């Protein structure tokens, strides 16, 4: 497999996400995505995943924008043993179809026995049933039922969250109002809304796109949403310590080190919450302070790890991070797909066959302000 660009520079869009039971082949081997149940890994599971990543992959682990962990560089002849290891850690779904439906983001700020813990488990059970709706592969849910919303900027199509009075509402992504529900009815109502989407979506694959097309919601979605003010940053919380991961990636050794400090709760912010911890661990790969410029940077795997990437992204991203203003965001993308940051960034660098393109306030696929840069010249251009 090579990194040669196609003549039109158009990246291949596969249209699906890897799982554990349905891995994806990349430039560095198989990518095996593990979806923690309840958005949480027990310490023994964290330690076990670290061992499996080192034994069957290249020792690199990614945290995805949906709070999942991806083991990279898995060898095909070792995949079966890896699956058995994941089964022993209770980290597998019944089959690939159930795994593909269980796209659930969960706020990390919950306490044992509260509504969030119950609702996320009940929603996972509902999506595992034979009568679960037939949904597009990237369609997802968010259980954002802490005291305040924290997941509204993350990717999800059906959201359980709080209104301004603290009541529980079901809100379709793209709508400013939700439907009043309670703990007993929330999951059934979420499934009913998912079935409604499946029946009305036409060619649309995401809820917000369907609503933007003019499709009217069923009756009952009249309760105003509570708007998110939370900005994720490393530091202490009531539940433990939130620590950043440079580019959302860490080594198996660092993952094993985290296991010594507590269970892990996943987030979509390139951060993990170390449950019960009272201070920031001193481990490689961690972003421990709120003023670290790496928090302002998104960068995909890049070459040679991704066969579609036309540049090495992360060395360039580290160099550029030092030049950013405090309010600037930077996205370095190996190709025009922009997987690491689908939304606009203040500065975007896209790898092309003709060199690096510089895009202002846009996505990796947008029209560039400048093209043909080398890694040296792009440092001066920004």
């Amino acid at each position: 497999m090579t990194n040669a660009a196609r003549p039109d520079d158009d990246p291949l869009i596969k249209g699906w996400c890897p799982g554990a039971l349905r891995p994806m082949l990349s430039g560095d081997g198989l990518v095996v995505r593990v979806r923690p149940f309840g958005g949480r890994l027990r310490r023994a599971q964290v330690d076990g995943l670290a061992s499996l990543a080192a034994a069957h992959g290249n020792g690199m682990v990614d945290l995805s924008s949906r709070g999942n962990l991806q083991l990279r560089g898995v060898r095909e002849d070792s995949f079966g043993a890896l699956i058995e290891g994941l089964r022993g850690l209770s980290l597998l779904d019944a089959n690939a179809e159930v795994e593909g439906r269980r796209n659930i983001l969960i706020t990390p700020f919950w306490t044992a026995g509260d509504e969030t813990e119950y609702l996320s488990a009940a929603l996972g059970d509902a999506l595992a049933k034979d009568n679960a709706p037939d949904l597009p592969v990237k369609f997802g849910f968010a259980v954002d039922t802490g005291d305040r919303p924290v997941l509204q900027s993350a990717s999800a199509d059906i959201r359980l969250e709080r209104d301004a009075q603290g009541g529980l509402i079901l809100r379709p992504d793209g709508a400013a109002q939700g439907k009043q529900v309670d703990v007993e009815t929330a999951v059934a109502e979420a499934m009913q809304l998912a079935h409604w989407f499946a029946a009305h979506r036409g060619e649309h694959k995401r809820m917000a796109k369907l609503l933007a097309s003019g499709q009217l919601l069923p009756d009952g979605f009249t309760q105003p949403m509570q708007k998110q003010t939370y900005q994720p940053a490393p530091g202490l919380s009531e539940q433990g310590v939130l620590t950043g991961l440079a580019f959302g990636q860490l080594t198996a050794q660092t993952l094993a080190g985290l296991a010594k400090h507590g269970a892990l709760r996943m987030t979509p912010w390139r951060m993990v919450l170390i449950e019960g911890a009272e201070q920031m661990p001193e481990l490689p790969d961690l972003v421990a302070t709120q003023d670290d410029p790496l928090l302002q940077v998104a960068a995909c795997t890049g070459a040679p790890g991704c066969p579609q990437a036309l540049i090495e992204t992360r060395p360039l991203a580290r160099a550029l991070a030092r030049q950013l203003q405090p309010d600037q965001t930077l996205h370095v993308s190996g190709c025009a797909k922009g997987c690491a940051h689908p939304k606009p960034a203040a500065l975007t660098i896209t790898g092309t066959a003709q060199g690096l393109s510089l895009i202002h306030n846009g996505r990796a696929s947008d029209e560039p302000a400048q093209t043909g840069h080398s890694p040296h010249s792009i440092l001066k251009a920004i």
Side-chain angles (χ1 to χ4, degrees), residues 30-224:
L30 294 174
V31 177
V32 176
R33 179 176 291 184
V34 178
R35 306 181 183 196
F37 290 89
R40 178 181 184 268
L41 293 169
R42 303 189 307 274
R43 293 175 66 172
Q45 290 175 317
V46 179
D47 193 55
L49 271 179
S51 297
L52 292 174
H56 304 295
N58 61 13
M60 302 305 297
V61 181
D62 293 332
L63 178 64
S64 80
S65 62
R66 294 199 169 191
N68 301 313
L69 290 176
Q70 296 184 161
L71 279 57
R72 299 199 65 92
V74 174
R75 302 179 301 278
E76 294 193 44
D77 62 356
S78 202
F79 176 67
L82 171 61
I83 289 299
E84 287 308 307
L86 293 174
R87 183 171 286 112
L89 293 173
S90 301
L91 289 173
L92 291 183
D93 289 279
N95 53 57
E97 289 72 27
V98 172
E99 177 184 68
R101 288 196 296 268
R102 190 170 57 83
N103 293 320
I104 307 173
L105 263 179
I106 300 157
T107 174
F109 305 120
W110 52 270
T111 56
D114 71 3
E115 292 179 353
T116 297
E117 189 175 30
Y118 169 78
L119 290 169
S120 60
L123 185 56
D125 290 344
L127 290 168
K129 292 181 178 179
D130 291 339
N131 64 350
D134 183 17
L135 298 168
V137 291
K138 295 190 177 184
F139 193 95
F141 299 78
V143 181
D144 196 9
T145 47
D147 293 337
R148 54 179 175 165
V150 299
L151 299 176
Q152 288 179 351
S153 60
S155 176
D157 297 274
I158 293 177
R159 302 174 181 273
L160 287 169
E161 55 190 27
R162 301 291 176 187
D163 62 18
Q165 289 72 45
L168 191 62
I169 61 170
L170 173 71
R171 185 173 66 85
D173 193 46
Q177 296 176 315
K179 184 176 185 178
Q180 200 82 51
V181 294
D182 56 35
V183 175
E184 288 72 28
T185 63
V187 170
E189 291 278 5
M191 290 297 99
Q192 185 174 334
L193 181 59
H195 279 290
W196 174 87
F197 172 83
H200 292 84
R201 72 182 187 90
E203 298 299 316
H204 297 289
K205 297 180 180 179
R206 306 302 301 269
M207 179 69 80
K209 291 286 188 181
L210 175 61
L211 298 187
S213 74
Q215 177 65 52
L216 298 178
L217 284 165
D219 293 338
F221 290 86
T222 58
Q223 191 69 16

